[in-house]
Amino acid sequence: MRDPFKRASRRVIRRLGGFTPIDAQSDTGARIPNFKGIYENPEEESLVRGNGGGLTLKRRGHTLRVLTEDVPTLSKQWTFTILGTVYYPADWDADGDGCTLIYLSVKPTQPAEDDSKNGATWR
């Protein structure tokens, strides 16, 4: 018998994952059109404390929840094109119940000027 949590995760991704068009490309270069996943772009607040005060910053946290079986070889070389923006997986966590939450980061078109001098890249 199948795990009820994995079955529920599969049902949620398949039903809610089709609302935002996602094109994925694996590390081998294989394109996966109409990829199923739940894309979220919530605004988050973070408090930065310094000497004598604090500063509240707002930022966006791009995430993509997918079925673990759909991304068996997930690596930082994968890319996801969502609403015309290309993202790469900065980090990901499998929940053990069939879903993986991928934290997305925008892939820059070229390295910053001072980053290229010291050999640093976006990965």
Side-chain angles (χ1 to χ4, degrees):
M1 180 174 226
R2 289 180 39 177
D3 182 8
F5 292 105
K6 287 185 180 180
R7 211 170 53 221
S9 296
R10 182 177 191 78
R11 211 175 277 144
V12 167
I13 297 293
R14 294 297 178 211
R15 288 188 181 170
L16 298 177
F19 290 116
T20 304
I22 301 169
D23 287 332
Q25 186 171 356
S26 70
D27 53 354
T28 61
R31 298 197 74 231
I32 309 166
N34 301 323
F35 189 79
K36 296 284 186 184
I38 301 172
Y39 171 71
E40 293 181 304
N41 185 13
E43 185 174 78
E44 301 171 346
E45 289 186 2
S46 59
L47 181 64
V48 178
R49 297 206 181 257
N51 294 336
L55 177 65
T56 303
L57 301 174
K58 291 185 184 265
R59 63 184 177 100
R60 292 284 182 185
H62 305 278
T63 59
L64 181 64
R65 185 172 301 276
V66 299
L67 290 174
T68 304
E69 65 189 35
D70 289 346
V71 290
T73 62
L74 183 63
S75 69
K76 291 191 177 191
Q77 281 71 39
W78 280 58
T79 58
F80 299 95
T81 305
I82 305 169
L83 301 173
T85 304
V86 178
Y87 298 97
Y88 72 94
D91 195 14
W92 56 89
D93 294 317
D95 65 3
D97 289 321
C99 283
T100 297
L101 180 64
I102 304 171
Y103 300 96
L104 301 172
S105 182
V106 177
K107 183 177 180 180
T109 55
Q110 60 188 15
E113 184 67 31
D114 46 317
D115 285 347
S116 60
K117 290 179 184 174
N118 64 12
T121 62
W122 62 273
R123 291 189 194 266

